[in-house]
């Protein structure tokens, strides 16, 4: 009996396998877990985002932005270049050549660095 316990699960070691359907299902499950819901910010949170964005705009200081797009959260460090309330969007500059437009309803957070 003690020989059986020391051996572990060696009896079934050679017969482990996964069907392609199982691998596909596991990958699909992992992909679904990565998706996050769209942000739902209340009025106070939006006002705080506006204050930080305005500070970055007036002082040209970089901010850490987290935004949602197509089910995924993205993070970037950029300076706010424009805030367009009529179009409900913020235009940020990541580098000299790279500008990004982010809609208000995609924003999750804007934090000072």
């Amino acid at each position: 009996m003690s020989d059986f316990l020391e051996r572990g699960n060696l009896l079934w070691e050679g017969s482990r396998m996964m069907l392609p359907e199982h691998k596909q299902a596991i990958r699909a499950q992992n992909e679904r877990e990565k998706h996050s819901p769209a942000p739902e910010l209340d009025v106070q949170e939006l006002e705080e985002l506006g204050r930080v964005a305005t500070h970055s705009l007036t002082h040209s200081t970089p901010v850490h932005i987290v935004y949602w797009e197509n089910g995924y959260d993205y993070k970037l460090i950029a300076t706010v270049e424009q805030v367009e309330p009529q179009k409900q969007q913020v235009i940020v500059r990541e580098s000299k050549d790279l500008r990004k437009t982010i809609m208000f309803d995609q924003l999750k957070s804007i934090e000072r660095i």
Side-chain angles (χ1 to χ4, degrees):
M1 183 89 154
S2 63
D3 184 38
F4 174 74
L5 293 176
E6 289 175 9
R7 206 172 62 177
N9 198 13
L10 293 179
L11 180 64
W12 302 104
E13 268 318 298
S15 64
R16 287 187 188 172
M17 65 178 205
M18 291 188 74
L19 295 174
E21 294 85 7
H22 292 158
K23 289 182 181 179
Q24 183 179 8
I26 289 171
R27 286 187 185 123
Q29 176 67 26
N30 290 339
E31 200 59 35
R32 281 192 301 274
E33 289 174 358
K34 289 180 185 176
H35 285 270
S36 67
E40 295 179 14
L41 302 176
D42 62 1
V43 176
Q44 291 176 341
E45 292 171 327
L46 285 173
E47 287 176 358
E48 180 61 28
L49 293 180
R51 278 193 287 274
V52 176
T54 303
H55 183 269
S56 174
L57 178 65
T58 57
H59 299 291
S60 297
T61 57
V63 290
H64 183 260
I65 300 172
V66 179
Y67 66 97
W68 178 88
E69 188 173 352
N70 298 326
Y72 295 99
D73 291 341
Y74 296 95
K75 299 174 185 177
L76 60 95
I77 295 176
T79 56
V80 177
E81 195 170 86
Q82 271 184 311
V83 177
E84 298 182 359
Q86 294 83 13
K87 294 182 181 180
Q88 297 284 310
Q89 64 186 13
V90 176
I91 299 173
V92 297
R93 180 173 297 277
E94 291 183 72
S95 65
K96 182 180 176 185
D97 300 330
L98 189 58
R99 290 175 61 186
K100 174 110 178 111
T101 302
I102 304 170
M103 303 302 291
F104 285 172
D105 59 353
Q106 292 178 324
L107 287 172
K108 283 196 158 188
S109 71
I110 300 177
E111 299 172 356
R112 293 182 180 120
I113 295 178

